[in-house]
Amino acid sequence: MSALLEVTDLKVHFPVRRGVLMRQVGSVKAVDGVSFAVGKGETLGLVGESGCGKSTTARAILRLIPATGGSAKLEGTELLSLRGGKLRAKRRDMQMVFQDPYASLNPRMTVFDILAEPLIVHGVAKGKTELEGRVQKLMSQVGLSPAYMRRYPHEFSGGQRQRIGIARAVALKPKLVLLDEPVSALDVSIQAQILNLLVDLQEQLGLTYVFVAHDLAVVRHVCKSIAVMYLGRIVERTTTERLFKAPKHPYTQALLSAIPIPDPVREKKRRRLVLSGEVPSPLNPPPGCHFHTRCPVAVDKCKKEVPRLEPVEDGHMVSCHVVKDRGGLAPDLMSDLG
Ligand code: SF4
């Protein structure tokens, strides 16, 4: 299947300026050479700790922030060089659902105004009756009663507000939706409902998702494949099934070992691979493999040479010197983990 979205060597560097003349003294490499592809109707999870560049990647693809280099193609059309009317027209095909549903909804607009706005801007529906019909249908699609059309965002719960955010994102039947931590601000009891809604809408509307999350457990059941990011780079990329069954990168192994197991007997035996230290600053990342300051199996080479993201098996890419030197075998960190 050809990819709907193809991202190649995407870079987002932010200049750091100091002094009276605001001279550039360095740059924060928030995204530093990220590549992946997502097939039509599929979901790719982009996972990593806060500050790893996953949200920046999503925003750069949507052109909400400028990319420094690389390419992002939607159905073969280069998004990063689009300007003016062509960019506005393309925006219809790509939408975003934000983490904080309250902050992303204008508190002075009713649900009707919020959902009718994109329909008016893109000339999809005209006239009060047609607009009301479209908004009512959208509200029903996301599980909200159309009777609440004239209410304001503050009159809804967090989960309901995220449903409004999702309705706004799918109003124009986009091809691609970037979900930026769409459930992390919600109660655990509500998270599953929103995830189910996203899966249902994907089936109904044939949507393609890039799902940004810090929590691997959240993306497990909705993503076909997962890319794990650390300090602006992808360190492992493969199918969700393979990632959970046989993670190879030490960082992925540590992330997975932090997920609680629902079975109390196995949970009791679960051993956590605790990483020492904090994620280093992207302003001054460690040389070589960015992960070497926290990696339990780092070797000398890790401090000097940047490991390339390379296939170790069919459809399984890893960026790690030790995995490569072991012929694609993972370092033995998880053998005792539940
Ligand atoms: Fe650890 Fe070295 Fe592999 Fe980086 S390249 S993950 S430091 S072993």
Side-chain angles (χ1 to χ4, degrees), residues 249-250 289 291-292 295 297-299 302 307 319-322:
H249 196 282
C289 173
F291 187 57
H292 83 253
C295 180
V297 291
V299 292
C302 305
S319 131
C320 173
H321 294 307
V322 168

Side-chain angles (χ1 to χ4, degrees), residues 1 4-5 38-44 74 92-97 138 141-142 165-179 196-210 222 224:
M1 187 191 291
L4 180 107
L5 175 69
V38 198
K40 190 173 180 333
E42 290 181 355
T43 304
L44 172 86
L74 186 68
R92 197 177 153 170
D93 291 337
M94 42 185 199
Q95 296 289 322
M96 192 147 186
V97 173
L138 270 171
Q141 251 179 331
V142 298
I166 292 168
R168 181 180 55 183
V170 302
L172 295 166
K173 298 201 179 85
K175 291 174 179 154
L176 174 71
V177 182
L178 294 120
L179 305 160
N196 288 338
L197 170 66
L198 289 168
V199 171
D200 289 347
L201 287 173
Q202 182 171 40
E203 276 171 24
Q204 285 167 27
L205 304 173
L207 303 170
T208 302
Y209 290 149
V210 173
V222 286
K224 187 172 178 209

Side-chain angles (χ1 to χ4, degrees), residues 38-298:
V38 198
K40 190 173 180 333
E42 290 181 355
T43 304
L44 172 86
L46 214 48
V47 178
E49 287 164 286
S50 145
C52 71
K54 53 194 190 303
S55 293
T56 310
T57 301
R59 277 155 210 254
I61 294 167
L62 266 195
R63 300 285 309 274
L64 299 178
I65 51 172
T68 314
S71 153
K73 289 183 179 167
L74 186 68
E75 290 185 318
T77 304
E78 179 57 72
L79 300 172
L80 302 187
S81 56
L82 286 179
R83 303 270 177 272
K86 283 189 179 158
L87 176 59
R88 272 194 299 280
K90 206 71 190 162
R91 283 204 189 284
R92 197 177 153 170
D93 291 337
M94 42 185 199
Q95 296 289 322
M96 192 147 186
V97 173
F98 295 90
Q99 175 180 3
D100 184 346
Y102 198 50
S104 67
L105 301 174
N106 187 333
R108 289 188 205 88
M109 288 168 84
T110 63
V111 178
F112 173 80
D113 294 334
I114 290 167
L115 298 183
E117 190 179 47
L119 301 172
I120 297 168
V121 168
H122 287 272
V124 182
K126 293 180 204 91
K128 200 168 167 251
T129 316
E130 193 188 344
L131 273 170
E132 275 188 2
R134 294 287 291 253
V135 169
Q136 282 172 356
K137 190 169 170 223
L138 270 171
M139 290 185 75
S140 305
Q141 251 179 331
V142 298
L144 289 172
S145 167
Y148 299 154
M149 197 159 66
R150 303 289 171 194
R151 294 195 180 180
Y152 290 87
H154 74 267
E155 297 177 78
F156 292 89
S157 68
Q160 288 170 327
R161 284 200 286 261
Q162 194 54 301
R163 286 175 192 270
I164 299 168
I166 292 168
R168 181 180 55 183
V170 302
L172 295 166
K173 298 201 179 85
K175 291 174 179 154
L176 174 71
V177 182
L178 294 120
L179 305 160
D180 190 4
E181 303 264 13
V183 298
S184 53
L186 305 175
D187 287 350
V188 175
S189 57
I190 308 294
Q191 288 187 356
Q193 294 173 17
I194 297 296
L195 291 176
N196 288 338
L197 170 66
L198 289 168
V199 171
D200 289 347
L201 287 173
Q202 182 171 40
E203 276 171 24
Q204 285 167 27
L205 304 173
L207 303 170
T208 302
Y209 290 149
V210 173
F211 194 125
V212 171
H214 66 275
D215 186 351
L216 268 169
V218 165
V219 294
R220 180 174 194 169
H221 299 291
V222 286
C223 295
K224 187 172 178 209
S225 51
I226 293 178
V228 178
M229 284 187 75
Y230 188 80
L231 269 184
R233 297 175 184 160
I234 290 178
V235 296
E236 185 160 8
R237 203 180 77 205
T238 186
T239 62
T240 306
E241 196 186 352
R242 206 179 287 179
L243 193 93
F244 275 81
K245 223 182 201 167
K248 291 187 186 288
H249 196 282
Y251 178 60
T252 313
Q253 295 189 2
L255 286 183
L256 282 170
S257 80
I259 301 177
I261 303 168
D263 175 351
V265 179
R266 288 180 60 219
E267 172 63 13
K268 219 172 165 188
K269 285 195 215 142
R270 178 170 68 96
R271 277 212 17 227
R272 265 199 79 174
L273 183 58
V274 182
L275 295 175
S276 56
E278 296 292 312
V279 183
S281 160
L283 180 56
N284 191 16
C289 173
H290 285 347
F291 187 57
H292 83 253
T293 51
R294 302 169 80 197
C295 180
V297 291

